[in-house]
Amino acid sequence: MSALIPFHRVNVLTGIKSARLIEDASEYADLIQKAKRPLLVLGPRLLEWALDGKLLIEYALEIAKAANIPICATAHVKGKLTELGVKPDSVYDAVEIVNALKDPDWKGVKRAGNHDLVIFFGIRSDLGEQSLSVLKHFAPHLKTMTLCKFYYPHANYSLPNFRKDEQWKAFLENLIDNLKKGE
Amino acid sequence: MAEVKAITRKEEEVRQLIKAEIPWEPVGPTPMPEIPDLRSWDMRLLKTYKPWYAPFCDLCCLCTYGKCDLTENRRGACGLDIATQQARIILLACLMGCSAHAGHAGHILEFLIERHGPDKKIDMGTFIELEAPNIRTVTGLKPETLGDLKAVIEYVYKEITHLLDSTHMGQEGSYLDYESKALHASMLDHVGMEVADIAQIVGFNYPTSVAETPMIEMGWGAVDKSKPVILLVGHNPATSCTLIDYLRDNDLYDKVEVCGICCTALETTRYSDRAKIVGPLSRQLFFVRTGIADVILTDEQCIRTDIPIEASKAGSALIATLDKAMYGLEDATDWDTEEIVKQMVEDKKHFAILDPEKAAEVAAKVAIKIAPQKRKEWITEEEATELAKKCTNCDMCERVCPNLFSIGDGITEVAKGNFDLIKEQFNLCIGCGKCEEECPKQVPIFKIMQVAASKETWKIRAGRGPIMDTEIRNVGAPLTLGTIPGVIAFVGCSNYPDIEDVADMVDEFARRKYIIVLSGCAAMVAGMKKDADGKTVYEKYSPDFDAGGVVNVGSCVANSHISGAGIKIANIFASLPLRANYEVIADYILNRVGACGVAWGAMSQKAASIGTGCNRLGIPVILGPHSSKYRRLYLSRKEEDDWRVMDARKREIVDTGEPSPEHLAYVCETKEKAMVTIPKLCIRKNDTPQGRSIKLNHYISLYKKYMGGGLPEDLHLFVRRSADIPLVYKKEVMAHLKEIDWQPKEPVGLPTLIGTYPTKVPIDAVIH
Ligand code: SF4
Ligand code: SF4
Ligand code: SF4
């Protein structure tokens, strides 16, 4: 059972409906590839966290590129993206993007219709879990997924609490490979 | 309004309570409003600023039909859905907040009426004639004596009962109606806070009608531990001010050190500039555990509930001075003083003493007796390193940390003799103590963190109470025209992502000539950072309510002076009558006063009601990331929402398409993003071209500074005509606007929501 308790205890689930825990990168890649209009929501922790000296934001951009997923830059992530020469498809805060996603008729960041899979990466875990809660309760029309190294009960699909950063790194690298392969 | 309605018995009763016969202003449409009276205003607000719910819990467990699972559109056994349950919890939180202040107000009022009699005149000094803007606007009463305030607080009590009633299972079934009730409770909170602070100013003779209040010493290092030390924790100054009197009268003032945490500290330093401020609530447990306090006096609101246990561990004596928090202690109020002192000193017992005079005397006597027996040394780096060696860096502390960081990493570094990380982490720590509780190795994390705690002292300006009428007169025009770009209120608790954020934000916006007002824990932490010249923001900026001024209004209850300042602008500058005229005043503030609250570390239920009260009055509030756990925000959908207003001059509805203010309750994840959001939320529809260009100048330049250059994505929504564009960015902005095919729009002469929704208020009422 311990894997079902999120790493940060403030995010512990009080309820019944919780995320499916997925450890296999190919399963994640499948879910992403099956989605018609996925969206990658990037948070500011990506600018602080690094795996072996490589900032997480770089992993995020590789994922976006490999699967051609539009990006939403939250908080002040846009600054770093600009520095990296990347123009995000949209700039909203976590609470704003979630607010838009709730609306089934929203046009989405590409103006091609609301997204069917929303992938959260790098938002502080309490705000992230609250944002996922909004979608879990009020956006039955879409699915949510997380890429941080913690279990997020309010998501539809979540990673486990990775004990070692190497496991997380391996997962992300595998995911990128799988997405590239699936192109 | 053509029909002449007979006055009902109930209306007559209200007219008596508010002394309607005294003609200082005509009585407006909503004297002492009840739940339905401002509902249509609320519904209009909620139409644009829709509640955003992030359930913190998927269940409801409030009655024995439950627990009920409310996921996937399920309703509870009573028929309740998840949105309505969130709104109900929000209403409960706002009611707790409102009651805490109303309870405080009622208590302090009784205490001061006992001292001075009910006829004690309310005199707020030479420069404040408009003594009670919230009370006047909400109730319609112009309070002249302490006795008048009693009628006001009794009205608040009555409303609280009806509101709390509505949270019982099986009643209200609409989240919008629960929100309207939460807005009502929170408006009342500002009334209760105003009662409390007016009573305190009058009853304790706090400074008023003055900007330049004394500078107070703040920080652990400021506390002279060679003397007996009395620590005050809480919000209610009845006992703390009485203690100062006792020390003065008995020639002990030089011999005993008085210091405080949280709002009682702010209150006491308004009474005596020699009292010290230890710091905000987040420093409570640290300081208590140092054992520097010989006696701890608790009163009410934000105090740790385990404080008697912590006091015992630290060898400090404790006296609970208010009925709100008695901790199961024996009530010694009627005991002989010497007997209490004896038992506290010899048997190390704690007591509840609800008589302020007795509590003050006992505190002083006990402190003097036990101080010589106590060792009060800070831990040394060597000792800390030794203690830290027990840590196995197992993660358990990180997992329970509500600020989500690994103190275990910091402790591991300390074990190696490196203190850099733990010093950084001390700024992130909200002092909850969960880490130490969880540690399987019983590492004394708090003790070790003492080496990280700076012994530095800072200067903070003592709280000054209300903004002066004269100041309002001076800034009214520049504020409503937009040439002073906004008033920013930093308020609320100390649940910060980083304690230095507030000082950084204050500095940024004071430098940019916004008016900065502060209260409570936010006022403290703003002063806990020095610039390169060793100055805090209180030393660096003027204390005036004017462009570039930094104003500490005081404790939590002084928040009523911040909402009050908005109301005063409507009255003193725009000549709108206040009396029972809430809707008109709120509409004025929403559309024309560029004010924005920042409750960066909001944590308590009081912060929920203070913020929600600002929202009903038309003031948007930005919250820090923890506040997503309040589970409700008020957000618009930007250009997709309804931004139609009535142009009261032309009497036609205009679709402005301009989302100003864009949100009413909003969460930013980082300080950087807050820096960009604050100037945007100060934009109002009635800005003149000159004012708008100043506001956009700050918006653009802060965006460039914190978002890596470029122009804000939504800039075009705030440019009405090319005259709105700041000169420095003209070329860049024009090129951008051309690219996206922007079309100019007419600015609205006199924007108001009145006339865009069903209300009894005629449009004429907004024209001054
Ligand atoms: S109040 Fe309603 S939803 Fe809550 S436990 Fe009772 S029946 Fe269930
Ligand atoms: S819980 Fe204790 S032992 Fe574990 S990392 Fe934290 S301080 Fe070290
Ligand atoms: S006391 Fe500080 S470090 Fe410990 S859990 Fe609380 S916030 Fe985290």
Side-chain angles (χ1 to χ4, degrees):
Chain A
M1 274 306 278
S2 72
L4 288 177
I5 293 178
F7 183 80
H8 294 125
R9 296 287 165 87
V10 287
N11 297 327
V12 73
L13 179 73
T14 25
I16 292 163
K17 192 193 166 202
S18 62
R20 201 171 106 215
L21 187 153
I22 297 177
E23 290 184 66
D24 178 356
S26 65
E27 207 179 333
Y28 250 45
D30 279 352
L31 286 164
I32 293 172
Q33 267 150 353
K34 272 199 209 109
K36 286 199 196 74
R37 283 184 301 275
L39 175 69
L40 185 55
V41 180
L42 305 183
R45 297 256 148 151
L46 298 176
L47 316 181
E48 295 161 17
W49 283 335
L51 289 170
D52 277 345
K54 178 168 153 185
L55 271 186
L56 256 299
I57 188 81
E58 297 185 44
Y59 287 89
L61 292 175
E62 281 173 35
I63 291 167
K65 199 166 159 219
N68 195 21
I69 315 173
I71 287 173
C72 169
T74 70
H76 60 287
V77 170
K78 190 200 162 193
K80 183 74 191 173
L81 292 180
T82 309
E83 208 180 286
L84 295 171
V86 175
K87 192 175 182 303
D89 301 86
S90 62
V91 178
Y92 290 101
D93 273 330
V95 300
E96 278 179 304
I97 185 68
V98 154
N99 197 33
L101 287 163
K102 263 185 351 182
D103 171 5
D105 298 327
W106 183 49
K107 294 280 178 293
V109 306
K110 290 279 192 195
R111 304 263 126 206
N114 202 343
H115 303 275
D116 55 349
L117 177 71
V118 186
I119 308 163
F120 285 80
F121 197 9
I123 294 170
R124 56 177 284 153
S125 78
D126 47 7
L127 177 61
E129 179 67 357
Q130 286 303 91
S131 302
L132 289 162
S133 171
V134 178
L135 297 177
K136 162 170 149 179
H137 288 282
F138 302 105
H141 47 274
L142 55 79
K143 297 267 188 259
T144 59
M145 172 185 269
T146 59
L147 287 174
C148 292
K149 60 175 173 178
F150 313 123
Y151 180 63
Y152 280 90
H154 281 319
N156 289 101
Y157 316 111
S158 168
L159 298 184
N161 299 318
F162 279 131
R163 265 210 227 97
K164 296 205 168 78
D165 278 356
E166 295 85 80
Q167 295 170 297
W168 190 23
K169 184 165 175 263
F171 179 92
L172 293 173
E173 281 167 357
N174 264 330
L175 177 66
I176 294 164
D177 285 346
N178 273 294
L179 290 173
K180 279 185 185 157
K181 259 187 263 157
E183 267 177 315
Chain B
M1 298 292 277
E3 283 168 56
V4 181
K5 227 177 66 188
I7 290 182
T8 63
R9 188 192 51 79
K10 194 169 149 192
E11 281 164 347
E12 188 46 48
E13 230 174 73
V14 171
R15 290 179 63 82
Q16 270 177 27
L17 282 173
I18 66 161
K19 303 185 182 176
E21 72 286 359
I22 305 177
W24 53 277
E25 269 176 6
V27 178
T30 51
M32 293 196 164
E34 298 183 348
I35 292 172
D37 294 330
L38 292 162
R39 183 173 177 260
S40 57
W41 168 249
D42 298 336
M43 294 301 175
R44 178 61 195 87
L45 285 179
L46 296 169
K47 184 172 167 231
T48 301
Y49 306 101
K50 294 181 186 64
W52 172 101
Y53 295 119
F56 202 34
C57 169
D58 293 353
L59 310 175
C60 175
C61 54
L62 283 180
C63 86
T64 69
Y65 271 162
K67 306 170 186 172
C68 295
D69 173 19
L70 302 176
T71 52
E72 294 174 326
N73 282 328
R74 287 184 187 86
R75 289 178 182 268
C78 62
L80 189 83
D81 66 14
I82 186 89
T84 312
Q85 169 66 353
Q86 304 315 300
R88 174 162 66 157
I89 298 286
I90 277 288
L91 170 57
L92 282 167
C94 292
L95 279 169
M96 287 182 208
C98 174
S99 318
H101 290 138
H104 169 173
H107 173 270
I108 206 81
L109 197 56
E110 281 301 338
F111 173 78
L112 292 168
I113 287 177
E114 194 70 40
R115 241 191 208 187
H116 303 288
D119 297 331
K120 169 91 177 164
K121 282 260 170 293
I122 292 175
D123 177 1
M124 306 293 277
T126 325
F127 303 111
I128 299 173
E129 269 176 39
L130 211 178
E131 74 304 297
N134 275 287
I135 295 170
R136 287 193 191 192
T137 308
V138 174
T139 67
L141 176 73
K142 178 173 174 304
E144 288 176 346
T145 61
L146 289 184
D148 285 346
L149 295 177
K150 259 196 102 160
V152 175
I153 207 66
E154 274 158 15
Y155 153 69
V156 174
Y157 291 166
K158 182 192 89 183
E159 290 303 294
I160 290 174
T161 307
H162 290 294
L163 289 161
L164 188 55
D165 165 358
S166 78
T167 65
H168 187 274
M169 71 77 61
Q171 296 193 77
E172 188 57 84
S174 152
Y175 66 89
L176 288 173
D177 265 307
Y178 266 138
E179 291 296 348
S180 170
K181 291 178 173 77
L183 290 160
H184 191 58
S186 305
M187 173 192 75
L188 297 169
D189 186 24
H190 285 254
V191 172
M193 291 191 289
E194 195 169 86
V195 168
D197 213 44
I198 291 176
Q200 289 169 181
I201 290 168
V202 172
F204 292 124
N205 224 349
Y206 284 170
T208 175
S209 271
V210 59
E212 210 155 338
T213 50
M215 285 291 191
I216 304 295
E217 277 197 83
M218 178 168 63
W220 305 18
V223 180
D224 182 352
K225 56 186 168 54
S226 68
K227 292 181 187 172
V229 175
I230 299 176
L231 172 69
L232 317 158
V233 189
H235 288 72
N236 185 316
T239 303
S240 66
C241 291
T242 310
L243 172 69
I244 301 286
D245 291 344
Y246 177 85
L247 296 175
R248 277 185 186 139
D249 296 347
N250 291 276
D251 208 15
L252 291 169
Y253 204 28
D254 279 341
K255 303 186 184 86
V256 176
E257 185 80 340
V258 177
C259 61
I261 283 174
C262 211
C263 282
T264 309
L266 285 167
E267 298 291 3
T268 313
T269 49
R270 284 165 87 183
Y271 194 61
S272 156
D273 57 12
R274 285 192 16 211
K276 311 278 171 63
I277 296 176
V278 172
L281 184 69
S282 58
R283 296 297 183 240
Q284 180 180 189
L285 190 55
F286 284 109
F287 193 72
V288 168
R289 287 199 181 164
T290 64
I292 284 174
D294 296 297
V295 175
I296 300 172
L297 288 178
T298 64
D299 51 82
E300 62 174 305
Q301 301 161 46
C302 315
I303 319 162
R304 284 190 70 92
T305 54
D306 60 355
I307 198 156
I309 302 169
E310 290 294 338
S312 293
K313 280 199 240 162
S316 307
L318 180 130
I319 303 168
T321 68
L322 249 159
D323 53 4
K324 304 299 181 309
M326 293 176 72
Y327 307 111
L329 300 173
E330 200 162 345
D331 184 352
T333 309
D334 296 328
W335 289 22
D336 171 59
T337 306
E338 295 310 322
E339 181 57 27
I340 312 175
V341 174
K342 183 167 163 273
Q343 291 201 20
M344 289 187 77
V345 175
E346 289 173 13
D347 308 337
K348 307 216 173 310
K349 281 182 77 173
H350 306 317
F351 287 106
I353 306 175
L354 306 183
D355 169 5
E357 274 166 29
K358 190 173 281 181
E361 185 182 343
V362 171
K365 289 185 167 160
V366 172
I368 291 168
K369 288 208 167 141
I370 64 175
Q373 308 162 13
K374 292 190 75 193
R375 176 181 175 266
K376 295 181 183 176
E377 292 308 324
W378 304 107
I379 187 175
T380 63
E381 292 198 347
E382 292 69 36
E383 285 169 318
T385 305
E386 224 23 67
L387 290 169
K389 285 184 179 152
K390 281 203 284 181
C391 171
T392 57
N393 208 356
C394 69
D395 262 0
M396 283 314 297
C397 47
E398 183 180 1
R399 300 190 70 161
V400 295
C401 176
N403 220 3
L404 319 171
F405 69 92
S406 172
I407 190 70
D409 288 349
I411 300 284
T412 310
E413 287 300 303
V414 172
K416 296 182 208 153
N418 178 2
F419 298 88
D420 295 344
L421 181 58
I422 203 150
K423 281 186 180 149
E424 255 172 59
Q425 289 183 330
F426 191 64
N427 280 341
L428 311 179
C429 175
I430 55 169
C432 66
K434 286 203 214 173
C435 49
E436 197 168 309
E437 173 101 8
E438 203 67 22
C439 177
K441 296 284 174 196
Q442 284 86 43
V443 175
I445 299 175
F446 271 52
K447 206 163 185 183
I448 294 170
M449 273 214 256
Q450 276 178 28
V451 287
S454 168
K455 312 297 180 298
E456 207 172 345
T457 62
W458 298 276
K459 292 257 195 279
I460 172 176
R461 198 171 283 288
R464 62 121 116 174
I467 307 306
M468 290 178 262
D469 299 3
T470 37
E471 292 173 302
I472 299 284
R473 218 158 272 136
N474 291 338
V475 301
L479 258 179
T480 47
L481 301 175
T483 47
I484 291 179
V487 182
I488 309 170
F490 292 89
V491 301
C493 338
S494 50
N495 194 12
Y496 302 112
D498 185 321
I499 200 168
E500 294 196 342
D501 289 352
V502 174
D504 293 341
M505 291 195 251
V506 170
D507 190 49
E508 180 78 66
F509 289 98
R511 200 159 12 97
R512 290 170 181 271
K513 302 283 178 211
Y514 284 74
I515 302 175
I516 311 292
V517 284
L518 304 109
S519 66
C521 285
M524 295 183 192
V525 300
M528 288 172 70
K529 188 170 179 181
K530 292 178 185 168
D531 67 4
D533 303 324
K535 286 187 175 164
T536 70
V537 291
Y538 293 105
E539 296 162 289
K540 203 165 156 184
Y541 298 103
S542 112
D544 299 321
F545 187 83
D546 200 349
V550 173
V551 181
N552 173 13
V553 289
S555 65
C556 283
V557 289
N559 278 308
S560 54
H561 307 313
I562 297 178
S563 48
I567 298 174
K568 280 186 173 201
I569 292 171
N571 178 252
I572 295 172
F573 171 69
S575 312
L576 289 170
L578 298 185
R579 194 173 201 179
N581 202 21
Y582 189 89
E583 206 165 331
V584 168
I585 300 303
D587 175 73
Y588 179 86
I589 294 175
L590 177 75
N591 286 296
R592 294 189 247 171
V593 180
C596 167
V598 183
W600 196 237
M603 165 275 296
S604 67
Q605 291 88 2
K606 290 187 298 162
S609 58
I610 293 167
T612 305
C614 285
N615 294 159
R616 195 184 218 189
L617 195 59
I619 303 171
V621 178
I622 295 174
L623 301 147
H626 288 282
S627 295
S628 58
K629 293 182 273 181
Y630 277 125
R631 66 200 92 185
R632 186 268 281 130
L633 299 173
Y634 292 139
L635 307 181
S636 85
R637 287 278 302 284
K638 228 176 214 145
E639 63 262 52
E640 287 165 56
D641 251 307
D642 180 358
W643 299 106
R644 280 176 303 173
V645 293
M646 173 67 74
D647 185 336
R649 230 166 247 134
K650 296 187 184 151
R651 288 176 190 258
E652 57 190 38
I653 290 182
V654 188
D655 189 356
T656 66
E658 178 181 295
S660 59
E662 187 175 334
H663 306 292
L664 277 187
Y666 188 73
V667 159
C668 284
E669 184 171 357
T670 60
K671 169 185 80 181
E672 291 79 1
K673 191 56 196 281
M675 294 271 203
V676 180
T677 310
I678 291 167
K680 181 161 70 163
L681 289 188
C682 288
I683 292 173
R684 292 295 177 278
K685 294 192 181 63
N686 67 309
D687 296 335
T688 58
Q690 191 199 1
R692 178 62 60 89
S693 74
I694 291 172
K695 292 185 183 190
L696 291 181
N697 186 22
H698 294 298
Y699 183 34
I700 297 170
S701 88
L702 284 159
Y703 186 91
K704 287 186 182 294
K705 182 167 171 186
Y706 293 105
M707 301 288 277
L711 292 170
E713 288 67 29
D714 54 6
L715 182 64
H716 59 284
L717 299 175
F718 301 102
V719 181
R720 298 160 301 185
R721 285 189 297 195
S722 64
D724 289 347
I725 305 170
L727 218 54
V728 248
Y729 300 116
K730 196 119 206 174
K731 240 169 125 185
E732 187 186 358
V733 173
M734 281 313 281
H736 165 68
L737 293 179
K738 209 168 152 204
E739 203 181 298
I740 60 166
D741 196 25
W742 162 89
Q743 296 299 326
K745 349 171 237 270
E746 273 303 299
V748 187
L750 227 167
T752 170
L753 293 182
I754 306 292
T756 67
Y757 66 101
T759 168
K760 285 184 206 145
V761 177
I763 294 179
D764 284 337
V766 306
I767 299 170
H768 40 92

